[in-house]
Amino acid sequence: MSDEQRLAADWTAIVVGSGMGGLTCAAYLAVAGHRVLVLEQAGVLGGNSHVFRRRSAYEFDAGVHYIGDCGPDGVLPSILRGLGLGDRVAFREMDPDGFDEIVLPGLRMSVPVGWDRYLERLIEALPADEGGLREFVAVCSAVGAEMRWTLLSAVGADPAEVLRRTPMAMAWGRRTLHQLFEHCGLSATARTVLAAQALNYGIGPEEATVGMHASVTDHYLRGAAYPVGGGQMLAASLTEAITGHGGTVRVGQRVDRVLVEQGRACGVVLDTGQELRAPVVVSNADYVRTVRELVGEEHFPASIGKRARTAVTGFPLAVLYVGLDRELPGRTGANLWWHGNTDVEEAFRGLADGRFDEPSSVFVSFASAKDPHTAAIRPPGHANFQVMALCPRSLEAWGAEAASENGGRYRRDPAYLAEKDRVTEAMLATAERALGPFRRYVTHLELASPATQRRYTRSTGGSPFGLARWGGTGARPDTRTSVTGLYVVGQGTRYGSGITGAAVSGIACAGQILGRPLLPEVHAGAVLGDPRMLPARGADWDPLRHCGGRAPRGTHAIPQ
């Protein structure tokens, strides 16, 4: 059967979008024997895990800045190992004595691996808050451990056993971080240190739940790492698992809508008008867009339509990509979390009110220090780093074209260009306050706005963090929907934000489709993929090219 004939009739599952959730789900379906088709509207696979190159000299990560829990029993390594990819993706450990550095006025603290050592550092930095810090860490460490146990072990467990094993998560998981701060009687400075890494999930203490904060913190305190070869290694390896087991992956293919007939998903329609049929459709698109645009509210219960209309996403990001003709003195691979004030809750209230004259805090990720041996990241002796800041949710400051629902032709809009120049200068000024003067050494400078994020991933509001509110506080939907045969994966689901959260949503979704607890299986050591079916990597193998990078747009299949 030719590929074109197969496009029309022979798919058992179609995955819309190639972020970590979509690729992980597609890979597990493929190794289980499904005939899988992945459709990506952009020209490169990977969603927020993709990379891009500039000047034939620098490679920048869109969203892979560091990954936690990458030890032998780590969640993401287990997911990859279960596909037969254990030897194809390696992780370079970041400094266990300080993988993150938190800087506030008058305070500097390195974040080490392990809750006990983390507590010691907190008490050293904030001795007046010792009692509250001990209570805070006791709650969060317990909630983090209990939620990880639930993820890896509780599938099929007796509900009474789950309740017995997760008392702290039941008591605190759905309450806000602000409520835990109040319970512990913590100072504004202590709250800022504890929430300093909130850009990992994109919302402040008054919106973030203790469960979300504890899970993310626990994730990194189990050990932080960076993929050897850069972020594109993840998408490229997952694609090898898909195509090696008979699936097909295509870029430049935008899905206009999901076909629903008699309450069942039965395929998709491309923006070209072509129909592709399959009894299972997995959307890796933004959850709100999936409900309101790809499927249509009329196919869901009224309560779901209402939640989609009133959903709140995480704050969007402005990202400054920087190349220098020299290394930054004194910088290691540790991420820098720099805060210009000591009241993180007030800073988030300012964002909620639309204030963004100059970033009050920035997150700086040093790719060239994390992966110094990958030549594509930067020329020898140069530096490659990113400066990130959260922005207000409304895009009106970026101009009418950028703020319109579909983005318009904002990139040439004078209002957009003026705001982009203003934000670039503001972020440069803040970055130099954090790092010292560097702008005279700049060889590449580029700003990505929330509108950029929305253009590449079609995310609501240009946020890379998924849903902040879906009905009640802390609520997020599961991957299974009320439409038979329709599933949703990615940042908007209950499995959390970030690279690992999205991958977990993918394997959880595949498990629901296949009717088996895949994540507990692979975490226990099961290998479902056959490494012998993976394509060979030649001496000139390039993960970006393998994912469609620099390929022409249009109907383009990733090499089998």
Side-chain angles (χ1 to χ4, degrees):
M1 180 180 292
S2 73
D3 195 45
E4 289 306 315
Q5 288 173 320
R6 192 180 185 190
L7 274 174
D10 202 38
W11 307 110
T12 60
I14 294 174
V15 178
V16 182
S18 69
M20 284 294 293
L23 290 178
T24 301
C25 182
Y28 272 95
L29 293 179
V31 303
H34 272 269
R35 299 182 299 277
V36 179
L37 172 65
V38 179
L39 300 170
E40 170 55 51
Q41 57 103 17
V44 180
L45 301 171
N48 282 323
S49 71
H50 88 282
V51 304
F52 62 94
R53 292 173 181 162
R54 292 292 186 263
R55 302 176 186 268
S56 299
Y58 299 101
E59 179 177 289
F60 296 105
D61 279 295
V64 182
H65 305 117
Y66 68 149
I67 300 169
D69 197 10
C70 284
D73 74 335
V75 172
L76 186 59
S78 295
I79 291 172
L80 296 170
R81 190 166 53 245
L83 293 166
L85 299 171
D87 294 332
R88 297 212 166 195
V89 182
F91 294 95
R92 185 171 184 265
E93 183 184 27
M94 295 174 66
D95 186 354
D97 193 49
F99 58 85
D100 277 345
E101 183 181 22
I102 297 170
V103 176
L104 279 63
L107 185 150
R108 184 180 297 267
M109 186 185 109
S110 291
V111 179
V113 171
W115 281 102
D116 290 343
R117 296 178 66 205
Y118 177 56
L119 176 60
E120 290 173 1
R121 295 278 172 89
L122 288 169
I123 292 172
E124 288 173 7
L126 300 155
D129 284 280
E130 179 175 351
L133 291 171
R134 290 188 180 278
E135 175 70 10
F136 182 89
V137 168
V139 170
C140 285
S141 61
V143 171
E146 290 171 7
M147 293 182 70
R148 188 174 187 269
W149 173 84
T150 301
L151 185 69
L152 297 173
S153 308
V155 176
D158 180 73
E161 173 70 3
V162 174
L163 287 171
R164 187 184 69 80
R165 294 286 297 266
T166 59
M168 199 67 80
M170 293 295 177
W172 279 102
R174 294 289 290 272
R175 298 172 71 180
T176 67
L177 189 58
H178 171 78
Q179 289 174 311
L180 182 56
F181 285 162
E182 291 288 297
H183 172 78
C184 296
L186 294 165
S187 67
T189 300
R191 297 177 190 212
T192 302
V193 171
L194 292 167
Q197 300 130 301
L199 189 143
N200 275 323
Y201 46 79
I203 52 178
E206 293 178 345
E207 291 183 299
T209 63
V210 174
M212 175 182 288
H213 179 83
S215 292
V216 171
T217 304
D218 182 73
H219 175 70
Y220 288 109
L221 290 181
R222 291 177 181 273
Y226 186 79
V228 175
Q232 198 70 46
M233 291 295 296
L234 299 172
S237 300
L238 289 168
T239 302
E240 289 177 322
I242 296 166
T243 60
H245 290 83
T248 296
V249 182
R250 292 177 172 269
V251 297
Q253 299 269 280
R254 175 169 289 190
V255 172
D256 185 62
R257 68 181 187 277
V258 174
L259 289 169
V260 179
E261 297 175 355
Q262 299 180 334
R264 298 185 64 94
C266 56
V268 301
V269 179
L270 304 182
D271 61 357
T272 62
Q274 183 182 16
E275 288 190 8
L276 307 173
R277 293 264 170 172
V280 170
V281 176
V282 179
S283 175
N284 193 189
D286 173 89
Y287 207 104
V288 172
R289 284 188 182 268
T290 298
V291 173
R292 303 193 65 192
E293 297 178 20
L294 290 182
V295 180
E297 291 182 37
E298 67 273 17
H299 295 295
F300 293 90
S303 60
I304 298 299
K306 180 179 179 181
R307 287 187 179 191
R309 291 192 301 274
T310 59
V312 176
T313 63
F315 287 100
L317 278 175
V319 185
L320 196 63
Y321 298 94
V322 185
L324 304 183
D325 65 5
R326 62 195 60 205
E327 298 284 3
L328 281 165
R331 296 309 314 178
T332 65
N335 301 305
L336 175 63
W337 300 87
W338 184 91
H339 292 257
N341 61 52
T342 56
D343 193 338
V344 69
E345 294 184 287
E346 176 57 31
F348 272 100
R349 292 186 197 110
L351 282 176
D353 292 340
R355 300 198 297 270
F356 189 64
D357 294 333
E358 184 173 309
S360 61
S361 61
V362 291
F363 167 52
V364 189
S365 173
F366 305 92
S368 53
K370 291 175 185 172
D371 194 18
H373 306 302
T374 296
I377 287 180
R378 50 84 172 98
H382 287 222
N384 166 337
F385 63 96
Q386 298 169 43
V387 184
M388 289 156 270
L390 295 173
C391 303
R393 288 187 172 103
S394 171
L395 303 190
E396 290 183 1
W398 298 92
E401 291 287 349
S404 66
E405 184 144 347
N406 292 314
R409 298 184 177 182
Y410 69 90
R411 285 180 288 173
R412 295 185 179 180
D413 179 35
Y416 175 76
L417 294 174
E419 180 66 3
K420 190 173 181 181
D421 287 344
R422 186 195 73 78
V423 173
T424 297
E425 178 56 37
M427 291 187 67
L428 266 177
T430 301
E432 288 197 306
R433 290 175 63 193
L435 299 172
F438 63 78
R439 70 176 72 199
R440 64 176 174 161
Y441 307 120
V442 169
T443 51
H444 182 80
L445 189 67
E446 180 175 357
L447 182 81
S449 74
T452 312
Q453 171 77 25
R454 186 177 58 186
R455 184 171 91 250
Y456 280 104
T457 68
R458 302 185 74 187
S459 61
T460 299
S463 172
F465 299 108
L467 295 168
R469 191 178 310 126
W470 179 259
T473 299
R476 281 189 173 196
D478 196 6
T479 58
R480 191 194 305 271
T481 76
S482 57
V483 178
T484 302
L486 175 69
Y487 300 80
V488 182
V489 296
Q491 305 277 21
T493 67
R494 68 183 183 89
Y495 298 98
S497 302
I499 297 299
T500 300
V504 169
S505 78
I507 191 173
C509 180
Q512 289 178 334
I513 294 168
L514 298 172
R516 57 191 293 189
L518 290 176
L519 183 53
E521 284 185 35
V522 301
H523 187 258
V527 178
L528 309 183
D530 186 348
R532 296 171 300 179
M533 298 180 72
L534 300 175
R537 293 178 177 176
D540 61 347
W541 185 82
D542 180 348
L544 182 57
R545 187 174 295 277
H546 184 79
C547 290
R550 300 181 181 176
R553 293 293 298 274
T555 302
H556 175 71
I558 301 304
Q560 301 293 316

